Amino acid sequence: MSLKIGLTGGIGSGKTTVAKFFAALGADVVDTDVIAHELTQPQGAAISTIREIFTEKFITAEGALNRKEMRALVFSDESSRRKLEAILHPLIRIEVARRAAFFTAPYGIIVVPLLLETGGYRGMIERILVVDCNEQDQITRAMARTGLDEQTARAIAATQLPRQERLRRADDVIANDVDMSHLRQQVDALHKKYLALTNKD
Ligand code: ATP
């Protein structure tokens, strides 16, 4: 059985980048954002319920989730956000468990942006790895990557745990406040640590 590590961090903190570095070192990686995307493509398993609960306005002509409309709704209205999460999170968890059962590397990384907020992966993961980044870099990077405006990026950050609380719950922390090579060095060090941990068992 692989050691399972939950990787989390705020919006734009560097989770995807860190996960790619781990994958390049041979770790198994599952990213819940990728699964959420798949579930909300045309014919995705979440589409019919989203249509039923939120109406046709939130479905594109192709039959996918209309991300722009939905983002505007859920980050201004908490009850809608909770409804969307109630549809997506159980489906995502089932798919993560299914994929994790096929892990073959000594350890696997499960990327869950809301790992600490939802608590839903407690039984599935053995360690928590937090990618930490100061809020200004986080917002700037999130805006650059996604094209979100600053207000939306800050609204999303505001729905997530405060930085100190996230750090308090971490078993391991990667500080992403310098550059890519600094980031990679920390991933290399953790890779060695995780291999050592799996060798002990
Ligand atoms: P999201 O929460 O939006 O999915 P994320 O936490 O997965 O984001 P990434 O996508 O890895 O974060 O990083 C956000 C952006 O910042 C990307 O464009 C990435 O290339 C860039 N980035 C990440 N770390 C650094 C760094 N140390 N220096 C410069 N750019 C960085």
Side-chain angles (χ1 to χ4, degrees):
M1 277 259 285
S2 299
L3 172 71
K4 291 182 198 67
I5 294 137
L7 169 59
T8 194
I11 180 173
S13 56
K15 299 177 292 295
T16 310
T17 310
V18 165
K20 282 190 184 143
F21 287 157
F22 275 114
L25 293 169
D28 285 308
V29 174
V30 169
D31 188 332
T32 53
D33 270 350
V34 173
I35 295 174
H37 215 267
E38 290 170 7
L39 291 169
T40 52
Q41 296 284 69
Q43 271 105 50
I47 290 295
S48 61
T49 315
I50 291 174
R51 181 183 276 121
E52 212 172 288
I53 307 267
F54 289 95
T55 77
E56 206 60 46
K57 180 178 173 211
F58 294 90
I59 305 293
T60 66
E62 292 74 35
L65 172 67
N66 186 327
R67 284 168 223 291
K68 199 159 176 244
E69 287 283 352
M70 188 58 91
R71 203 184 285 127
L73 174 69
V74 298
F75 290 111
S76 61
D77 175 32
E78 183 170 348
S79 85
S80 296
R81 178 163 58 83
R82 298 221 177 271
K83 274 188 208 156
L84 182 67
E85 289 176 357
I87 298 169
L88 287 176
H89 287 177
L91 292 172
I92 295 171
R93 274 199 297 275
I94 289 168
E95 187 56 21
V96 168
R98 197 186 67 77
R99 294 189 193 186
F102 291 102
F103 281 178
T104 53
Y107 70 94
I109 303 282
I110 301 174
V111 188
V112 190
L114 298 179
L115 181 71
L116 303 173
E117 286 82 349
T118 64
Y121 291 82
R122 243 176 243 132
M124 216 186 290
I125 59 163
E126 284 125 297
R127 291 184 79 80
I128 294 171
L129 168 57
V130 165
V131 186
D132 181 53
C133 173
N134 69 70
E135 192 174 335
Q136 191 48 54
D137 279 354
Q138 233 183 293
I139 299 295
T140 310
R141 287 173 188 166
M143 286 166 62
R145 188 183 71 78
T146 58
L148 290 178
D149 60 66
E150 177 160 357
Q151 197 191 351
T152 311
R154 287 196 186 278
I156 294 173
T159 65
Q160 303 180 336
L161 269 193
R163 185 178 179 192
Q164 290 312 323
E165 179 60 16
R166 201 182 281 117
L167 286 173
R168 201 178 62 73
R169 314 249 302 260
D171 294 302
D172 305 296
V173 176
I174 289 181
N176 188 15
D177 46 12
V178 187
D179 56 16
M180 290 291 188
S181 94
H182 184 246
L183 193 60
R184 186 187 290 268
Q185 280 166 25
Q186 293 175 82
V187 174
D188 286 347
L190 275 175
H191 171 69
K192 292 195 183 98
K193 175 174 176 174
Y194 293 151
L195 289 181
L197 281 174
T198 58
N199 280 337
K200 250 193 255 155
D201 302 332

